[in-house]
Amino acid sequence: MQGYVLTRYGHPGVLDLREVPRPAAGPGEVLVRVRAAGLNPIDYKTRDGGLRVITRLRLPLVAGSELAGEVEAVGPGVTRFAVGDRVFARVDKQRLGAFAEHAAVHQDLVAAMPASLGFVEAASLPLAGLTALQALRDELRVTPGDRVFVSGGAGGVGTLAIQVARWLGAEVTTTASVRGAELVRSLGAQQVVDYRTERFADVLHDYDGAFDLTGGQDLTDAFTILRPGRTVVSVAGLPDATTARVDLGAGPLKTALLWAASTAIRRRARRAGVRYRYLFMHPSGADLAVLAGLVDDGHLRPVLDRTFPFADIPRAFAYLEQGRAKGKVVVELPA
């Protein structure tokens, strides 16, 4: 089969399309005929080597984090899926493998696709959707009536985070450009701050939680708009000791290194009287089933920016890395 193989860390050219052995479905695994795969910032950060401190991969390996397709075979012990099922998944973080014609994925990481979606739309959901759900439901513990701030609401995670927060009963404020304002309002954002002309820290206060998707000054400013004791969850800041212990299952050395690396940002949070949490989401078939239900019940809709052919993954990444996509970028494989 064909797959995009990460041979070494570095520039975009290290992701090489080549013939690779087709995987087999091992115990508890399903073999998926991949029909579409989503692209995410974590994919090019992995390619560049920027995440080696967080997770070490055994190279070479087929890249790619999320997919949608059809079950082609099941391994011993599989009880949840059968050949022909339409499924989607955020694949194992250590194995990856979504940028290929076939992928073997453990059944615990797989869910039935939303019945109302095609493969391209379904492939856009797993990583961003799980990130949004776990940040808002599990870390911020959003409840009805909460006022929640989401930075960068027009991006891949942001478009889903707005909708998940609204489903949880929150009032949502986000940042967007003039071009993105109409989109985020259509998803349920009740207040939109134009980040090009206004600093949100100057106009927002007494929020119950913040979900930082942009990092930098936005992360620092998010500390200042919360009520005392509340939490900023970030996927764009620096990992901390909690990330190491809870999200990565890391040992004492890596935990200590991330604790030291995040000292400055944690100090800023303490000075503001709030809590900082960097989230590295975990793959979960059970959580994907929740997202599928939200889609089919009309509470969640994926937002696609552009779709590229599988052979054009380099061009798709070049577009994604410009940072201007509104929603997700997906590649589609031939039927």
Side-chain angles (χ1 to χ4, degrees):
M1 69 172 188
Q2 285 196 315
Y4 280 90
V5 178
L6 183 62
T7 56
R8 64 189 187 280
Y9 297 116
H11 57 80
V14 302
L15 202 58
D16 183 29
L17 180 62
R18 61 174 64 174
E19 289 291 325
V20 294
R22 193 174 90 168
E29 294 181 340
V30 296
L31 180 67
V32 180
R33 169 69 170 95
V34 181
R35 298 290 299 275
L39 274 62
N40 300 275
I42 196 173
D43 295 315
Y44 61 75
K45 291 176 182 178
T46 297
R47 179 202 69 204
D48 295 345
L51 298 179
R52 279 181 289 180
V53 173
I54 297 177
T55 179
R56 289 191 175 273
L57 303 174
R58 297 181 63 180
L59 304 183
L61 87 172
V62 176
S65 300
E66 62 183 350
L67 57 80
E70 298 163 311
V71 175
E72 197 165 275
V74 298
V78 171
T79 58
R80 302 175 186 173
F81 302 98
V83 172
D85 286 349
R86 291 155 54 97
V87 297
F88 67 147
R90 195 302 188 206
V91 300
D92 186 280
K93 295 178 183 179
Q94 298 297 321
R95 293 176 58 183
L96 302 183
F99 295 158
E101 294 175 324
H102 291 83
V105 190
H106 196 279
Q107 65 174 346
D108 290 347
L109 309 184
V110 177
M113 277 174 43
S116 56
L117 296 185
F119 292 113
V120 169
E121 290 179 309
S124 74
L125 281 173
L127 195 148
L130 291 174
T131 301
L133 181 65
Q134 292 168 12
L136 293 159
R137 181 195 63 188
D138 302 337
E139 298 298 331
L140 293 179
R141 299 181 182 180
V142 174
T143 57
D146 282 354
R147 302 170 70 218
V148 173
F149 172 73
V150 177
S151 65
V157 178
T159 53
L160 299 178
I162 291 168
Q163 298 176 79
V164 170
R166 292 290 291 144
W167 168 66
L168 291 168
E171 299 177 13
V172 181
T173 295
T174 190
T175 54
S177 66
V178 172
R179 188 166 70 95
E182 182 178 353
L183 170 63
V184 297
R185 289 188 189 279
S186 75
L187 299 174
Q190 289 131 311
Q191 183 174 353
V192 182
V193 179
D194 183 350
Y195 66 84
R196 293 182 177 176
T197 62
E198 198 167 25
R199 186 171 169 181
F200 67 82
D202 293 335
V203 295
L204 306 181
H205 57 85
D206 293 331
Y207 273 67
D208 297 294
F211 188 20
D212 167 58
L213 306 176
T214 48
Q217 187 62 48
D218 283 352
L219 173 55
T220 301
D221 284 349
F223 296 146
T224 70
I225 69 169
L226 297 187
R227 295 165 54 198
R230 299 296 174 149
T231 300
V232 174
V233 174
S234 178
V235 295
L238 287 171
D240 58 1
T242 303
T243 310
R245 292 193 309 269
V246 176
D247 300 340
L248 304 175
L253 178 58
K254 182 176 286 187
T255 299
L257 288 173
L258 293 182
W259 179 87
S262 62
T263 297
I265 194 67
R266 288 184 293 105
R267 184 178 294 129
R268 291 191 189 101
R270 284 198 305 271
R271 287 173 180 166
V274 301
R275 175 175 173 262
Y276 170 71
R277 169 77 160 98
Y278 180 94
L279 177 67
F280 199 46
M281 55 72 59
H282 61 272
S284 168
D287 281 351
L288 284 178
V290 172
L291 294 172
L294 292 179
V295 171
D296 286 336
D297 289 343
H299 297 294
L300 187 68
R301 66 176 174 91
V303 177
L304 295 178
D305 185 283
R306 288 188 66 179
T307 302
F308 291 82
F310 178 67
D312 285 347
I313 275 187
R315 190 163 61 93
F317 269 117
Y319 175 73
L320 178 65
E321 290 178 61
Q322 293 174 7
R324 298 177 181 175
K326 304 301 182 190
K328 289 295 297 287
V329 175
V330 176
V331 295
E332 185 174 17
L333 285 81

